[in-house]
């Protein structure tokens, strides 16, 4: 069975098929963009969290050192 494209089929595809294809491609592109943005924000948040943990650890170390110095002064 052969399918021949005539003027009616081309007009039908132009009116209904092509806009659907363009819309689907637009949605896929937007989802890809949104995914990339979310992934970037998550990686930035993870880096910030690591930085904060390092800073907290540093501050805890300083507090422990100061407490040790204070205990040494009491004796």
């Amino acid at each position: 069975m052969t399918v021949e494209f005539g003027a009616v089929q081309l007009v039908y595809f132009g009116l209904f098929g092509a806009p659907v294809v363009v819309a689907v491609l637009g949605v896929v592109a937007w989802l890809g963009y949104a995914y990339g943005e979310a992934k970037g924000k998550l990686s930035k948040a993870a880096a910030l969290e690591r930085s904060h943990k390092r800073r907290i650890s540093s501050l805890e170390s300083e507090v422990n050192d100061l407490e040790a110095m204070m205990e040494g002064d009491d004796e």
Side-chain angles (χ1 to χ4, degrees):
M1 180 173 161
T2 61
V3 177
E4 296 179 18
F5 274 97
V8 173
Q9 286 86 1
L10 289 176
V11 168
Y12 181 77
F13 178 75
L15 290 176
F16 301 105
V20 170
V21 170
V22 170
V24 168
L25 290 175
V27 168
V28 169
W30 181 81
L31 287 174
Y33 172 77
Y35 172 76
E37 286 290 312
K39 189 175 179 183
K41 287 181 182 179
L42 286 175
S43 67
K44 286 179 186 176
L48 188 61
E49 181 181 9
R50 287 190 301 271
S51 172
H52 286 170
K53 284 183 179 180
R54 283 192 301 268
R55 182 67 180 144
I56 289 170
S57 175
S58 172
L59 290 173
E60 287 174 342
S61 175
E62 288 182 33
V63 167
N64 290 338
D65 291 346
L66 290 173
E67 286 177 345
M69 288 173 58
M70 296 280 287
E71 287 176 3
D73 290 343
D74 289 342
E75 294 176 356

